[in-house]
Amino acid sequence: MTISTNLQTVAQEIAATAQAAGRAPHAVQLLAVSKTFDADAVIEAADAGQSAFGENYVQEAIDKISEIRQQRPDLKLEWHFIGPLQSNKTRSVAENFDWVHAVDREKIAQRLSDQRPSTLPPLNICLQVNVSGEATKSGVTPAALPELARAVAAMPRLCLRGLM
């Protein structure tokens, strides 16, 4: 099966599920996790209509994003960083991604805000919350969430979009 065929199948499943839940199918966006796939596969998916891609290996993603931008500057893709983020990788993420899905510390958020180029729109942020309280899980505690949310919402180069 081709990437295009797979995307069509997933789109049909999303539409059916959305309708069954009383939601408009266009209100649901597919985030294709492209980690471990090469630039050519991402371009094939983009040519089939997919525009949002998730990555969680910073260097692999940066290389892939750069290659795609060189090969196909016409593609307007949305890049999501979906993994845990170390302090020493925030600049690369701030400069190359549109979304970060797992912010759980003010230090990481502040670095992303400080390092986001002013030529780009604010970086979309989702705060990761550890609702189970398990020590092996990442995320801010529910009790500490309001303080972190207020801090992130006040950062000029970030846009707080939700929780995960």
Side-chain angles (χ1 to χ4, degrees):
M1 293 185 59
T2 67
I3 290 174
S4 178
T5 303
N6 287 340
L7 283 170
Q8 288 174 358
T9 301
V10 171
Q12 290 169 352
E13 291 174 8
I14 288 172
T17 302
Q19 288 176 339
R23 293 186 64 188
H26 70 276
V28 177
Q29 181 182 15
L30 174 64
L31 176 60
V33 177
S34 52
K35 68 178 184 177
T36 73
F37 288 91
D38 63 17
D40 291 337
V42 173
I43 290 169
E44 183 180 344
D47 286 341
Q50 181 61 35
S51 61
F53 294 91
E55 295 278 341
N56 71 338
Y57 300 123
V58 175
Q59 193 54 55
E60 176 190 325
I62 299 306
D63 293 345
K64 188 181 309 179
I65 292 167
S66 177
E67 183 178 346
I68 292 167
R69 287 178 177 158
Q70 287 177 356
Q71 286 184 32
R72 293 286 304 276
D74 60 304
L75 289 178
K76 302 299 180 220
L77 303 180
E78 185 177 86
W79 293 100
H80 296 243
F81 189 78
I82 56 174
L85 183 56
Q86 299 169 332
S87 297
N88 64 337
K89 309 255 174 131
T90 55
R91 181 173 302 282
S92 295
V93 170
E95 292 174 346
N96 291 280
F97 285 83
D98 303 294
W99 285 79
V100 178
H101 287 257
V103 173
D104 63 355
R105 292 175 289 160
E106 186 174 348
K107 174 185 175 183
I108 295 292
Q110 188 64 60
R111 288 177 62 89
L112 289 167
S113 181
D114 292 346
Q115 296 168 341
R116 182 70 169 175
S118 61
T119 57
L120 296 176
L123 184 62
N124 296 300
I125 299 292
C126 291
L127 300 179
Q128 184 174 2
V129 184
N130 182 347
V131 295
S132 69
E134 295 175 54
T136 58
K137 304 280 185 191
S138 297
V140 63
T141 65
L145 176 62
E147 182 180 342
L148 178 59
R150 279 190 292 277
V152 170
M155 293 180 190
R157 303 298 307 138
L158 302 182
C159 180
L160 180 57
R161 299 294 300 264
L163 308 174
M164 64 163 285

